[in-house]
Amino acid sequence: ISHRVRSFQSLAGPVLGPVSAPLGPFAVPYIAAIAGYLVYVARRGRRDLPWHRRLPLQVALLLLLPTLVNDALLYSDRLVTIELAGVGLFAHVMAISAGIFVRTSELYTDLERTVDVRTAELRVRERELSAMLAVRRTILDAIPDTVCLLNGLRVDYVNDAGAKFFGQAAGDIAG
């Protein structure tokens, strides 16, 4: 074992960890940084956020305080285990994952709802277009002269007078 590490007893057995160190020069910036993050978490954890966004922030707030105390005790040679930080990080990752899964589910539901609405709109427009085409066909069939609708060099429609003129069925001419 190096002079910079020492053995700690954990639930899984002995593990290597840092030696005790004076907290003076490092504790103040460390605690200030953690306190700043906790203030940020507390402000972001407002009630106006949806629960899946609030949960990881609340877990961070609840787990960073004991982890900070754990680190301070660990470095001051008052604590014999370092597992609290690992448990805290695991819980935080799980809370973030839960929020991600819930948000994904909400987005998928919103997407399905949007697709259903747009599909219904398209079906309404398709019925309107079919009705308009039926009116156009009725009008064109009522004209006594030959009427052909061309699409490039292809005949898309021939009225009844055009079918009689060419001596073929309208379906045989169109296409």
Side-chain angles (χ1 to χ4, degrees), residues 18-136:
V19 296
S20 348
L23 291 177
F26 302 106
V28 173
Y30 180 69
I31 291 173
I34 296 294
Y37 181 70
L38 292 177
V39 167
Y40 168 77
V41 167
R43 286 185 181 157
R44 292 288 299 166
R46 299 180 308 242
R47 294 279 179 220
D48 60 337
L49 289 176
W51 76 268
H52 63 274
R53 289 190 180 165
R54 216 173 40 238
L55 179 66
L57 298 174
Q58 290 171 341
V59 168
L61 182 62
L62 293 174
L63 293 175
L64 279 175
L65 285 173
T67 303
L68 177 62
V69 171
N70 180 65
D71 285 352
L73 291 174
L74 181 69
Y75 279 101
S76 65
D77 204 19
R78 305 272 190 253
L79 190 65
V80 294
T81 182
I82 57 172
E83 293 170 343
L84 185 60
V87 170
L89 289 174
F90 176 75
H92 189 74
V93 167
M94 293 306 292
I96 290 171
S97 296
I100 289 171
F101 289 135
V102 167
R103 183 64 181 145
T104 302
S105 176
E106 288 175 356
L107 289 173
Y108 183 74
T109 302
D110 288 347
L111 179 63
E112 282 185 330
R113 189 176 309 120
T114 301
V115 167
D116 290 343
V117 167
R118 299 260 170 93
T119 302
E121 290 172 356
L122 286 174
R123 287 186 179 140
V124 166
R125 296 208 177 172
E126 184 181 14
R127 284 191 293 270
E128 291 171 355
L129 181 60
S130 294
M132 289 170 41
L133 289 174
V135 167
R136 183 185 80 174

